[in-house]
Amino acid sequence: MCDPLRPSVRIPAVSAELLTRVRQIPPLTHCITNTVVTGFTANVLLAAGASPAMVDIVGEAGIFARLASGLLINLGTPTPEQRAASREAVAGANDAGTPWVLDPVAVGALPVRTALAGELVRLRPAAVRGNASEILALAGSGSGGRGVDALDDPDAALDAARSLATRFGAVVAVSGPVDLLTDGTRVIRVANGDALLTRVTGGGCALGALMAAFLGAARDTDADALEAVAAATLVYTLAAEHAARVADGPGSFAVGLLDALAGIDPTDIAAEARVEQHDAPVEEVAR
Amino acid sequence: MCDPLRPSVRIPAVSAELLTRVRQIPPLTHCITNTVVTGFTANVLLAAGASPAMVDIVGEAGIFARLASGLLINLGTPTPEQRAASREAVAGANDAGTPWVLDPVAVGALPVRTALAGELVRLRPAAVRGNASEILALAGSGSGGRGVDALDDPDAALDAARSLATRFGAVVAVSGPVDLLTDGTRVIRVANGDALLTRVTGGGCALGALMAAFLGAARDTDADALEAVAAATLVYTLAAEHAARVADGPGSFAVGLLDALAGIDPTDIAAEARVEQHDAPVEEVAR
Amino acid sequence: MCDPLRPSVRIPAVSAELLTRVRQIPPLTHCITNTVVTGFTANVLLAAGASPAMVDIVGEAGIFARLASGLLINLGTPTPEQRAASREAVAGANDAGTPWVLDPVAVGALPVRTALAGELVRLRPAAVRGNASEILALAGSGSGGRGVDALDDPDAALDAARSLATRFGAVVAVSGPVDLLTDGTRVIRVANGDALLTRVTGGGCALGALMAAFLGAARDTDADALEAVAAATLVYTLAAEHAARVADGPGSFAVGLLDALAGIDPTDIAAEARVEQHDAPVEEVAR
């Protein structure tokens, strides 16, 4: 980070508030996601207190997106049925004002999902989440990663993320050792987390679902989309730190992550958060 | 519970017998289930001693249902392929006398699965399993829940459950803090279990699969379908209690549930069971 | 084992080398696998150090198989989309020289997968992995198992395995209490492992994926396909032994298997390996 950022007080406070709301409401979180991570994603949402529902067929996805508090579209294994259901869900979500998250898994080298991601990103997702390679590819400035691997550092995707955010009016979240979040103007960096998250399948995908839950919980609050996405990131990466402390490897880490998400005390978040925020307009944020 | 029920001695005894049989046979349990819970469902069956097989494509599902000891049709993510395979499997099961369980996940608000559930329930499942919202919706007396969430207490679905049971000749199992099971005449309540089951995806879906395994194991015994379904419920909810005692949250609970299912001693079931049975005809069971 | 085999020094050494390479490269491992085990399979690959990618749709599978280090085709739940994607992936893999593994889950009784397995095995997989029933069925000498259950001892499938290996130029791996591996001439037996592997869904399927990763890592080394497949088997079954020592049942075993795979020290493999190799030509290996 070569530009001066200031520690954020606001994001930890919003995180505590939204986590509490997630547990109280709970937000019905509609996920159209890949077959590898469906179970883990649902368990992450349940552990955090949200209510997951994987409705990914034509004829139901649009209806459900209207009822849901938040929606995730994850392109990890986009069968023809899921592609059609995703279009239907996005239309329903936009019609009803349901905030939705686009996770363009492995875009770049793979043409079907790349075309679909390019189509969907124009339909005003509240947030786009990916690793640096994916964000670069979606912005048209990278060649794509190797599947779900990030070959690039999040900061290498900062310009691409801001460009995407500005063009499409979406928050863009770039996962990495330090997560980078931007709405095109403000930039938030969340330094919490643990490398074990990269050793569990769905470690990133489940965060996309949690963002959808937090966006849903943020409705009727004064937290905006960037703050809600940052709050989900902070809660999730903090839980990862808690889990890593007691894990013997990636298996027990994944189990512990669910326990930690369920156990995290909102009042403890501020003390452990490592979040910085820069509010300068885009052109002043030097790289 | 406002009607006088008596503690059941029979159900714990049947549970011990059928669990032992499941481990000995083991019953080949055919599952057509949703993509969220396939892995957990298979692991629950394996932990209990059964032999799972997820054969959910056209051209194979009907053949396999004829070979299987029991069949589960779970409508959680019913793709067109699964819908066709489910019809094929039910035809095969009915042709061969394989008992089958219908789990009408999230029926009510979602039209595709609601139509399919309405079609399948007429084809004489041995058992129907759902939460109160789903049973109410299937019986036509509710508006459906919010996806897989139960908004209603099992006892609120008692009339609907008895009506379904009588109309379709099926055992109806309503999941909740106290599980309610009926064949239209007898009513069994199983009070074992733990709230953590609602924090693990597939906590209910996997029970449907276990019911299919126990129905398979009950063939050639003097246990009837209601007793087999109650036995699966008792074994599963007892294992949940064991797991909850050592869990740190929903992640370790799900792991412990598998360990507990594999470790449960049939001779311990009677002492821990909290099961009541009412044998009055329908009209005498006041609400 | 009725023929004199000698303890292998070579396979443990290759195992240590290839495990180290998997962690260094890591090999991009393309999996088209069944919906029951996708998550566990990806987690096994990640724990071992490989990089999984489940690309199973038409229009992408062929492209990705060209980029990947290794490919798994597992026929556990072969939807029409997966069947077409599998053909596309195999064509891409063969075109680019990507080694690939065929896991003919439950072939025999089920016609769709049996036909597809018969078609694919002719397209020169580097390895075929199955239990004894599946290998017998694929070789045309058995009636098939009961789904994924092995009803036969691996040694009962020795002739079938050697016949398959010779006919199709593939390594054939037969899972069981003692894993049997052959290229038609050499026979390797790996006696490591634990019966808990049969109580976890995907216990065998994930090994097929690990074989693909090790085959990928073996490129540019002097290890051949039989050795790479044996190395994957040895690393996996050793990790299973480590996990079994601390497990309370199948749930904690599956978690511990991931931890053990991530934690296994290549320099410890030789001391714990129970591997024998017979190098006689086929006709000298008496049964």
Side-chain angles (χ1 to χ4, degrees):
Chain A
M1 302 186 224
C2 44
D3 52 339
L5 300 187
R6 56 179 176 72
S8 170
V9 175
R10 167 83 178 154
I11 297 303
V14 169
S15 300
E17 180 197 357
L18 292 185
L19 176 58
T20 303
R21 282 179 63 83
V22 164
R23 291 173 177 173
Q24 283 170 346
I25 300 179
L28 185 55
T29 308
H30 179 186
C31 301
I32 298 181
T33 191
N34 69 76
T35 55
V36 190
V37 305
T38 41
F40 185 67
T41 299
N43 279 330
V44 161
L45 289 170
L46 285 166
S51 182
M54 274 60 181
V55 180
D56 62 354
I57 62 170
V58 171
E60 295 191 343
I63 293 168
F64 204 73
R66 283 179 173 80
L67 304 175
S69 301
L71 167 68
L72 167 71
I73 305 285
N74 173 301
L75 303 183
T77 54
T79 58
E81 180 79 10
Q82 275 204 342
R83 299 200 293 271
S86 293
R87 290 186 180 100
E88 194 182 292
V90 166
N94 282 347
D95 191 44
T98 309
W100 61 283
V101 176
L102 175 65
D103 191 333
V105 179
V107 287
L110 297 172
V112 176
R113 67 191 68 204
T114 302
L116 183 57
E119 173 189 334
L120 294 180
V121 75
R122 284 165 173 75
L123 301 176
R124 301 195 72 80
V128 176
R129 193 211 76 82
N131 59 38
S133 301
E134 291 159 351
I135 296 303
L136 285 165
L138 190 62
S141 32
S143 59
R146 311 188 320 150
V148 297
D149 280 351
L151 299 178
D152 303 289
D153 189 75
D155 269 298
L158 178 58
D159 283 349
R162 286 194 298 213
S163 162
L164 275 178
T166 303
R167 270 197 285 165
F168 300 114
V171 170
V172 176
V174 192
S175 294
V178 175
D179 287 34
L180 184 153
L181 317 165
T182 184
D183 62 357
T185 303
R186 291 170 293 168
V187 174
I188 295 176
R189 287 188 173 84
V190 180
N192 296 90
D194 193 278
L196 277 169
L197 272 176
T198 65
R199 301 292 295 276
V200 174
T201 196
C205 297
L207 174 53
L210 199 64
M211 288 173 178
F214 273 62
L215 284 163
R219 297 161 83 172
D220 309 317
T221 74
D222 63 354
D224 64 21
L226 177 63
E227 291 166 340
V229 166
T233 304
L234 177 54
V235 167
Y236 189 72
T237 53
L238 260 179
E241 289 183 9
H242 295 183
R245 272 178 224 144
V246 293
D248 293 319
S252 48
F253 171 76
V255 172
L257 178 59
L258 299 175
D259 287 353
L261 276 168
I264 199 166
D265 184 337
T267 63
D268 287 343
I269 292 176
E272 300 181 56
R274 288 179 284 142
V275 181
E276 293 181 318
Q277 182 166 342
H278 189 103
D279 295 334
V282 170
E283 53 277 16
E284 296 183 18
V285 180
R287 282 211 306 147
Chain B
M1 303 186 222
C2 44
D3 52 339
L5 300 187
R6 56 178 176 72
S8 170
V9 175
R10 167 83 178 153
I11 297 303
V14 170
S15 301
E17 180 197 357
L18 292 185
L19 176 59
T20 303
R21 283 180 63 84
V22 164
R23 291 172 177 173
Q24 283 169 347
I25 300 178
L28 185 55
T29 308
H30 180 186
C31 300
I32 298 181
T33 192
N34 69 76
T35 55
V36 190
V37 305
T38 42
F40 185 67
T41 300
N43 279 330
V44 161
L45 289 171
L46 285 166
S51 182
M54 274 62 180
V55 180
D56 62 355
I57 61 170
V58 172
E60 295 191 342
I63 294 168
F64 203 74
R66 283 179 174 80
L67 304 174
S69 301
L71 166 69
L72 166 71
I73 305 285
N74 173 301
L75 303 183
T77 54
T79 57
E81 180 78 10
Q82 274 204 343
R83 300 200 292 272
S86 293
R87 291 186 179 100
E88 194 183 291
V90 166
N94 282 348
D95 191 45
T98 308
W100 61 283
V101 176
L102 175 66
D103 191 334
V105 180
V107 286
L110 297 172
V112 176
R113 68 191 66 203
T114 302
L116 182 57
E119 173 189 336
L120 294 180
V121 75
R122 284 164 173 75
L123 301 176
R124 301 195 71 79
V128 176
R129 194 211 75 83
N131 59 39
S133 301
E134 292 158 351
I135 296 303
L136 285 166
L138 190 62
S141 31
S143 59
R146 311 189 319 151
V148 296
D149 280 351
L151 299 179
D152 303 289
D153 190 73
D155 268 297
L158 177 58
D159 283 348
R162 285 194 299 214
S163 164
L164 276 177
T166 303
R167 269 197 286 165
F168 300 114
V171 170
V172 176
V174 191
S175 294
V178 174
D179 287 35
L180 183 154
L181 317 164
T182 183
D183 63 357
T185 303
R186 292 169 292 167
V187 174
I188 295 177
R189 287 187 173 85
V190 180
N192 296 90
D194 193 277
L196 277 169
L197 272 176
T198 65
R199 302 292 295 276
V200 173
T201 196
C205 296
L207 174 54
L210 199 65
M211 288 173 178
F214 273 62
L215 284 163
R219 297 162 83 172
D220 309 317
T221 75
D222 64 354
D224 63 22
L226 178 62
E227 292 167 340
V229 165
T233 303
L234 177 54
V235 167
Y236 189 72
T237 54
L238 260 179
E241 289 184 8
H242 295 184
R245 273 179 223 142
V246 293
D248 294 318
S252 48
F253 171 76
V255 172
L257 178 59
L258 299 175
D259 288 353
L261 275 168
I264 198 165
D265 184 337
T267 63
D268 288 344
I269 292 176
E272 301 180 56
R274 288 180 285 144
V275 181
E276 293 180 319
Q277 182 166 342
H278 189 102
D279 295 333
V282 170
E283 53 277 15
E284 296 183 19
V285 180
R287 282 212 305 150
Chain C
M1 303 186 223
C2 45
D3 52 341
L5 299 187
R6 56 178 175 71
S8 170
V9 176
R10 167 82 178 155
I11 297 304
V14 169
S15 300
E17 180 197 356
L18 292 185
L19 176 58
T20 303
R21 283 179 63 84
V22 164
R23 290 173 176 173
Q24 284 170 347
I25 300 178
L28 185 56
T29 308
H30 180 185
C31 301
I32 298 181
T33 191
N34 68 77
T35 55
V36 190
V37 304
T38 41
F40 185 67
T41 300
N43 279 330
V44 161
L45 289 171
L46 285 166
S51 182
M54 274 60 181
V55 179
D56 61 355
I57 62 169
V58 171
E60 295 190 343
I63 293 169
F64 203 73
R66 283 180 173 81
L67 304 174
S69 301
L71 167 69
L72 167 70
I73 305 286
N74 173 301
L75 303 183
T77 54
T79 58
E81 180 79 10
Q82 276 204 341
R83 299 200 292 272
S86 294
R87 291 185 179 100
E88 194 183 291
V90 166
N94 283 347
D95 191 44
T98 308
W100 61 282
V101 176
L102 176 65
D103 191 334
V105 180
V107 286
L110 297 172
V112 176
R113 67 192 68 203
T114 302
L116 182 57
E119 173 189 335
L120 294 180
V121 75
R122 284 165 173 76
L123 300 177
R124 300 196 73 79
V128 176
R129 193 210 76 82
N131 60 39
S133 301
E134 291 158 352
I135 296 302
L136 285 165
L138 190 62
S141 31
S143 60
R146 309 189 320 151
V148 297
D149 280 352
L151 299 178
D152 303 290
D153 190 74
D155 269 298
L158 177 58
D159 283 349
R162 286 195 298 214
S163 163
L164 276 177
T166 303
R167 270 198 285 165
F168 300 114
V171 171
V172 176
V174 191
S175 294
V178 174
D179 287 34
L180 184 155
L181 317 165
T182 184
D183 62 358
T185 303
R186 292 170 291 167
V187 174
I188 295 176
R189 286 187 173 84
V190 181
N192 296 89
D194 193 278
L196 278 169
L197 272 176
T198 66
R199 301 292 295 275
V200 173
T201 196
C205 296
L207 174 54
L210 199 64
M211 288 174 179
F214 272 63
L215 284 163
R219 297 163 83 173
D220 309 317
T221 75
D222 63 354
D224 64 22
L226 177 63
E227 292 166 340
V229 166
T233 304
L234 177 54
V235 167
Y236 189 72
T237 54
L238 260 179
E241 289 184 7
H242 295 184
R245 272 178 224 142
V246 293
D248 294 318
S252 48
F253 171 76
V255 172
L257 179 59
L258 299 175
D259 287 353
L261 276 168
I264 198 166
D265 184 337
T267 63
D268 288 344
I269 292 176
E272 301 180 57
R274 289 179 285 143
V275 181
E276 293 180 319
Q277 182 165 342
H278 189 102
D279 295 333
V282 170
E283 54 276 16
E284 296 183 19
V285 180
R287 283 209 306 149

